[in-house]
Amino acid sequence: ETKCLSCTEGYYWYKGKCRGSCADLTSHTNGFYGDDSTRSCEECNVACLDCTGPSSEECVACNYFQLYKRTSSGQCKLLFCKEGTYVHINYEEKRVECLDCHEYCLLCNRGNKTDCLECNKGYFNFPGSAESANVVCKMCEEMNAGYYSGSDGLCYGSASFELLEICGDGINLRMLECDDGNGCSSECKIEKGFKCEYSKEGPDKCYKITAPKAVLSIKKGYILVIKFDKTMVAQLNSALLVLSMSVEIKGLQDDCAFTWDLQDKFSEKHEFNQLTINTYPKCSIKGTAQTYVVTFHNVSLITSLSGNVMAEDTLKVSALRYIYIDEGQDAALALIGEAFSSTSWITLIGMLGISLFQNVAIQSLWNFINMLQVISYIPIIAVSYTHLT
C-alpha cells in the first residue's frame, strides 16, 4: 500500500494517508482539525471534540466525553458539580451537565435514593440496609416499628428510649464521624492528622495520615523536577492534570513572556515518583531574586497509593542563572563561530609553514595551540542557555 509523505491542496495528511476531511478521526478522546499551513490533520485541544485550531478558544464543540462544558463566554471549561449534584453526560444532546441528587443524598453518583454516597441530614444508613456498593439512605421511621426522629435530629427507639447510635460499639449509623470500636477520639471524632474509612459491616478504620512529601529542584536552568517520597497516582491524564496546575516565576520582569508544559505524558491512574516540567522563559534570568513556584490547585488529583494527598500544595525553588538567546542571536553567533574557526585554521597552517621553512622558533605555535585548547573549554562553563525549538 502506497504511503503519502505530503498531500495536495484540499487534502490533509495523517499517518501516511491523505484525507479530504479530518473530522472522521474524532473520537471520545479528542478531535482533529485540518491545518492548512502544514496540510495535515492535527489534534484539537483536549477541551474540544471539534475545533478550527489548536487552542481551547477555537472549539466548535466541547468534549463532553471528557466532561467539558461551554461557558457563557463561549469557552470549553472542565465541569465541576457542587455538593448535592452529580455529573451527567447527556449523549442525545451531546453535552455534560450537573443534576440534583435525590433529597435523601448529600453526595451521589446518580439521581436515585439508592445511589447515595453519603446521606443528607435527617437520613440514615442502618446496618444491613445496603443493597449495592452505594449507601442506601432512609428516614428513621422507614426502618422498623418503634423508631422515631427526635427534635435533635437523631434517631431513637421508642421501646427503650435509648439512642441507637452508641460511640465505641463499632457500629456507625452515619451519625458519628468515626467509630472504630474505641473511637478515633473519646467522642468518636476524627482528630487532625487522622483519617477514617467507613465500614458497613463492622468497625470503621481510623489511622494516622502519612502525607506524601514533594521536593522541587531545577536543572539546566529551565527544567523543573518534582520528586515524591512515595509512589503517587494521577487521578486524571496528563492533559487534564496540567489544567489544575500553575507554574510561575516570582520576581520576573513584567515584559518577559513565559510558558511551560509537562514533559511526562500519561493516562489516568498512572503511577509515578517524579514529574518533569519544561519551562520556556523568553528573557534572561539573573538567578539572584527569582523563584519558581509550582501550585497544585486540587491536591486530591494526585494521591499516594494509600489515597493520601500531598502535605503542601505549593512548591518553590530558587531560579538559576539562565541566558536567553533568540533565533536571530543564535544565527549571528553561529556565523561568528564559523568565521573564527576558519581564521584559526588559516593562522595555524600559516604559523606551521613559517616554522618549518624558515627555522623560526616553534614555541609561538605551541602557545597558539594552547590558546585554542582553552577556548574549547568555553562551552562547558556552568551557565544555562536557552533551548531553541
Side-chain angles (χ1 to χ4, degrees):
E1 183 181 351
T2 303
K3 289 189 175 181
C4 298
L5 299 178
S6 61
C7 300
T8 59
E9 185 175 352
Y11 292 87
Y12 301 95
W13 184 91
Y14 184 76
K15 292 185 177 180
K17 294 183 179 181
C18 291
R19 300 170 175 271
S21 171
C22 300
D24 58 337
L25 296 172
T26 296
S27 67
H28 70 277
T29 304
N30 55 278
F32 286 79
Y33 71 98
D35 190 325
D36 291 327
S37 62
T38 61
R39 309 289 335 148
S40 62
C41 293
E42 303 293 341
E43 288 190 18
C44 296
N45 184 279
V46 67
C48 308
L49 195 60
D50 188 16
C51 65
T52 58
S55 79
S56 61
E57 296 181 359
E58 295 174 282
C59 297
V60 175
C62 298
N63 193 344
Y64 61 93
F65 289 105
Q66 299 292 339
L67 307 186
Y68 282 87
K69 181 179 181 181
R70 190 173 297 279
T71 64
S72 56
S73 61
Q75 290 184 307
C76 293
K77 296 289 186 181
L78 195 62
L79 178 68
F80 292 97
C81 293
K82 65 181 182 179
E83 189 176 88
T85 63
Y86 67 98
V87 176
H88 174 256
I89 298 179
N90 190 325
Y91 292 100
E92 291 184 0
E93 299 182 13
K94 296 182 179 181
R95 61 187 177 90
V96 65
E97 57 194 346
C98 293
L99 298 181
D100 291 333
C101 295
H102 190 274
E103 61 176 328
Y104 286 17
C105 310
L106 180 64
L107 301 175
C108 68
N109 53 18
R110 285 188 298 273
N112 300 319
K113 66 179 180 181
T114 55
D115 299 316
C116 301
L117 299 176
E118 186 175 334
C119 296
N120 216 338
K121 186 177 180 180
Y123 300 90
F124 309 96
N125 174 38
F126 284 75
S129 66
E131 299 168 3
S132 66
N134 297 321
V135 173
V136 178
C137 300
K138 297 183 179 181
M139 293 187 293
C140 185
E141 290 80 359
E142 288 182 293
M143 300 309 297
N144 294 303
Y147 294 133
Y148 71 97
S149 297
S151 59
D152 55 4
L154 301 179
C155 191
Y156 293 86
S158 59
S160 60
F161 295 96
E162 293 180 354
L163 185 65
L164 292 176
E165 186 71 285
I166 302 173
C167 178
D169 65 355
I171 301 175
N172 192 349
L173 306 183
R174 305 295 283 181
M175 291 183 282
L176 300 175
E177 290 185 4
C178 188
D179 193 342
D180 61 349
N182 295 312
C184 266
S185 70
S186 59
E187 298 178 349
C188 288
K189 299 287 187 181
I190 301 176
E191 296 177 317
K192 186 177 181 180
F194 287 81
K195 186 175 181 179
C196 184
E197 287 186 359
Y198 170 69
S199 174
K200 298 174 183 176
E201 283 78 31
D204 300 337
K205 294 180 181 179
C206 185
Y207 55 90
K208 188 174 183 178
I209 295 175
T210 305
K213 296 180 181 179
V215 177
L216 179 64
S217 60
I218 186 171
K219 62 181 183 180
K220 294 185 180 180
Y222 58 86
I223 299 178
L224 302 179
V225 178
I226 304 175
K227 291 187 177 181
F228 301 88
D229 64 347
K230 301 181 185 300
T231 300
M232 306 297 287
V233 181
Q235 305 303 318
L236 298 174
N237 61 43
S238 56
L240 293 177
L241 183 62
V242 166
L243 301 177
S244 68
M245 297 172 56
S246 62
V247 179
E248 55 184 329
I249 306 177
K250 297 290 187 181
L252 202 62
Q253 55 265 38
D254 294 336
D255 60 345
C256 179
F258 171 73
T259 58
W260 64 277
D261 61 34
L262 196 61
Q263 181 174 303
D264 314 270
K265 308 299 179 186
F266 49 79
S267 57
E268 184 180 334
K269 301 301 180 182
H270 172 71
E271 297 181 7
F272 57 91
N273 294 91
Q274 175 179 302
L275 288 177
T276 304
I277 299 171
N278 295 322
T279 67
Y280 307 93
K282 301 297 183 182
C283 63
S284 296
I285 300 174
K286 295 181 179 179
T288 55
Q290 292 81 28
T291 303
Y292 279 92
V293 180
V294 178
T295 304
F296 294 88
H297 298 289
N298 188 349
V299 292
S300 64
L301 298 179
I302 300 180
T303 65
S304 65
L305 292 176
S306 57
N308 295 327
V309 300
M310 292 187 295
E312 298 179 353
D313 60 2
T314 301
L315 305 174
K316 299 179 181 180
V317 66
S318 297
L320 298 179
R321 187 182 180 193
Y322 172 87
I323 298 177
Y324 173 67
I325 302 175
D326 60 31
E327 294 182 358
Q329 293 171 324
D330 182 63
L333 289 173
L335 291 174
I336 293 173
E338 291 174 3
F340 178 78
S341 177
S342 301
T343 303
S344 299
W345 278 109
I346 293 171
T347 304
L348 178 61
I349 294 171
M351 293 183 67
L352 181 61
I354 293 172
S355 299
L356 292 175
F357 296 106
Q358 297 189 14
N359 277 329
V360 176
I362 204 167
Q363 182 62 42
S364 59
L365 175 62
W366 303 137
N367 289 339
F368 180 72
I369 293 175
N370 184 60
M371 179 186 69
L372 292 179
Q373 289 177 322
V374 171
I375 292 174
S376 70
Y377 288 124
I378 291 177
I380 63 174
I381 295 176
V383 174
S384 297
Y385 290 88
T386 185
H387 48 304
L388 294 175
T389 57

